[in-house]
Amino acid sequence: MAHYAKIGLNNEVIGMSAVATRDCMTEGGIEREELGLAHLQKATGHQTWKKCSYNTIDGVHIKGKTPLRVNFPSVGDYYDSTNDIFHPPRPVD
């Protein structure tokens, strides 16, 4: 299962979706982010999604693999496209 964050205005995370592994893989069995994106775009009509990993917390993959985009986001978090990371909402002053 692959997880994707739905990105809205101002790069805010407005939803989450899981995509079956088979819908993210090439015929040769290699998982590709762009295949999951295409699947979600076709299924939902929404164009902006970013893959994320629920095993990535504070830049560490809890199973020792390569971390993905620093954090697993929640609705209300933000995607920083400059640094390719997810971060929590900024505090309101």
Side-chain angles (χ1 to χ4, degrees), residues 1-5 17-40 50-55 61 65-66 68-69 72:
M1 191 70 56
H3 295 85
Y4 289 80
S17 189
V19 178
T21 302
R22 70 179 179 276
D23 293 324
C24 301
M25 296 183 93
T26 66
E27 289 182 18
I30 298 170
E31 189 173 338
R32 304 294 294 221
E33 181 172 2
E34 61 269 16
L35 295 176
L37 295 173
H39 175 81
L40 285 167
K50 291 292 174 183
K51 188 174 181 184
C52 48
S53 170
Y54 62 82
N55 290 315
H61 192 283
K65 296 181 181 180
T66 302
L68 181 61
R69 299 193 168 110
F72 183 73

Side-chain angles (χ1 to χ4, degrees), residues 2 32 48 68 75 86:
R32 304 294 294 221
T48 310
L68 181 61
V75 171
F86 291 105

Side-chain angles (χ1 to χ4, degrees), residues 39-51:
H39 175 81
L40 285 167
Q41 290 166 345
K42 183 177 179 183
T44 69
H46 189 79
Q47 296 302 304
T48 310
W49 297 86
K50 291 292 174 183
K51 188 174 181 184

